[in-house]
Amino acid sequence: MSVTWILKMTSTPSASRRWHWLVLGLLVCQVPSLAGEAERFDYRVTYRGIFSLGQDMTIADLALTMRRLGGEDGLRETRLEATSAGHPGVEALYPFRYRFRSWASVGDARMLGFEAFEKTDRPRHRLYLRDDSALGVSRLDPEDAVGRKRLAQLAAGERPHARIAGGGLLDRLGLLQQIRSRALSAQAEYRFQVTNGRHLFAYRVNVEGAQALMLHDRRVAAWRLRIDGSRSSPDGSTKVAHRPIYLWLSRAPGHVPLRLESRHPVGLFRIELAHPVILVAEGA
């Protein structure tokens, strides 16, 4: 019964958008990789709230892979896959599969395009290419001839024939890559412009401070960050995009994403590194 209620409460359109931001907040965790090599991190998604009687319940698994494509002048691809396949209770009631990919130039990390595939009650597949429009991207159908060609180019590490109007705009998979590339320090604040393909968002990221995070029975030296997003309306007003997201990154070089938390009206959702890899214990 508890799983049923969780899925009903979190499968509405507005809740689905919050779920995407929760997942994508971690998806963006790119790690620099060597040319021709792939790097992978695995995460677990848990829920704790009134419908799990206050206990942690694992509801999904995430696999995040980063690789370089196309040689010296190629692209950097970040790929995230999320699935409920390993969790029978969720799979029986509300099975889902997500795949998100993002491509950026290797030299200046400029966004070139991104893909979103979602399969819940019905599949949805979209491709966006960077352009000089007000939104900063144009949408293509990956199932038609033009969309298939552009998607194949990106997947092969080739730059599509897209109009790129300067840098600065990020997709959701590039947001935390930018954060992780910074020399983080306590109380530092960063601002970014982000698109999800339909709207533009202004993001403010605050480094709240250093913290010793318990992970896999180890105390890991981490930075705790707060991420807030707002969406601008045509009338000039702004609207909060989602509740604050909290992210923990390792303080070691590379800033490995360790944990992400987001509160929903029905409880707390947490994404956490599944295996203690590339962790530096506090004081090491």
Side-chain angles (χ1 to χ4, degrees):
M1 177 65 72
S2 59
V3 175
T4 304
W5 275 103
I6 292 169
L7 295 174
K8 285 183 178 178
M9 292 295 292
T10 59
S11 59
T12 64
S14 60
S16 177
R17 287 192 292 271
R18 293 191 185 98
W19 165 257
H20 290 170
W21 278 106
L22 168 65
V23 173
L24 287 168
L26 181 59
L27 323 179
V28 294
C29 304
Q30 295 189 22
V31 177
S33 57
L34 299 177
E37 295 185 353
E39 193 161 15
R40 171 173 169 142
F41 294 99
D42 293 292
Y43 296 86
R44 293 194 182 99
V45 182
T46 59
Y47 162 81
R48 183 174 71 238
I50 56 176
F51 300 119
S52 66
L53 302 178
Q55 302 298 309
D56 287 339
M57 176 186 299
T58 304
I59 60 173
D61 300 295
L62 307 181
L64 178 68
T65 306
M66 294 71 60
R67 61 177 181 163
R68 281 180 57 169
L69 304 171
E72 185 86 12
D73 298 320
L75 312 181
R76 179 179 292 116
E77 177 190 85
T78 300
R79 178 188 183 111
L80 177 120
E81 293 179 291
T83 178
S84 61
H87 308 283
V90 181
E91 190 75 359
L93 296 167
Y94 190 73
F96 60 83
R97 308 287 187 270
Y98 293 128
R99 182 182 72 247
F100 303 96
R101 287 191 289 179
S102 175
W103 295 273
S105 56
V106 171
D108 56 12
R110 185 172 302 191
M111 179 186 74
L112 298 175
F114 57 96
E115 174 200 29
F117 174 81
E118 307 160 28
K119 184 178 181 181
T120 51
D121 54 336
R122 61 185 180 88
R124 299 177 63 195
H125 195 187
R126 302 175 299 281
L127 175 65
Y128 298 91
L129 294 184
R130 184 74 163 97
D131 67 7
D132 58 2
S133 66
L135 187 57
V137 294
S138 57
R139 177 176 170 176
L140 299 179
D141 182 354
E143 307 303 324
D144 68 22
V146 175
R148 284 198 303 272
K149 180 179 179 180
R150 296 292 183 257
L151 185 58
Q153 287 178 317
L154 290 166
E158 301 174 7
R159 295 171 181 265
H161 298 294
R163 302 182 302 277
I164 301 176
L169 181 64
L170 302 172
D171 62 66
R172 295 174 295 181
L173 282 182
L175 174 59
L176 292 190
Q177 181 206 15
Q178 290 296 321
I179 299 171
R180 297 181 62 226
S181 70
R182 307 301 174 94
L184 301 179
S185 59
Q187 306 308 311
E189 180 177 296
Y190 308 99
R191 294 177 182 270
F192 304 95
Q193 186 178 42
V194 178
T195 179
N196 66 356
R198 294 181 296 111
H199 304 288
L200 289 174
F201 299 85
Y203 265 79
R204 185 178 72 252
V205 179
N206 290 285
V207 183
E208 294 192 331
Q211 187 176 92
L213 180 67
M214 289 301 298
L215 191 65
H216 303 292
D217 299 321
R218 300 178 62 183
R219 291 169 62 88
V220 181
W223 291 112
R224 173 184 157 115
L225 295 82
R226 172 173 167 156
I227 303 173
D228 294 276
S230 60
R231 191 180 85 188
S232 298
S233 299
D235 61 4
S237 63
T238 60
K239 180 180 180 181
V240 174
H242 53 74
R243 295 187 180 194
I245 292 174
Y246 292 92
L247 172 73
W248 286 261
L249 301 175
S250 73
R251 296 187 65 185
H255 297 313
V256 175
L258 306 173
R259 177 185 293 170
L260 181 144
E261 292 184 350
S262 180
R263 288 198 175 274
H264 187 277
V266 301
L268 174 70
F269 290 86
R270 173 182 290 171
I271 301 175
E272 190 168 81
L273 190 67
H275 306 292
V277 295
I278 317 181
L279 300 184
V280 177
E282 186 180 34

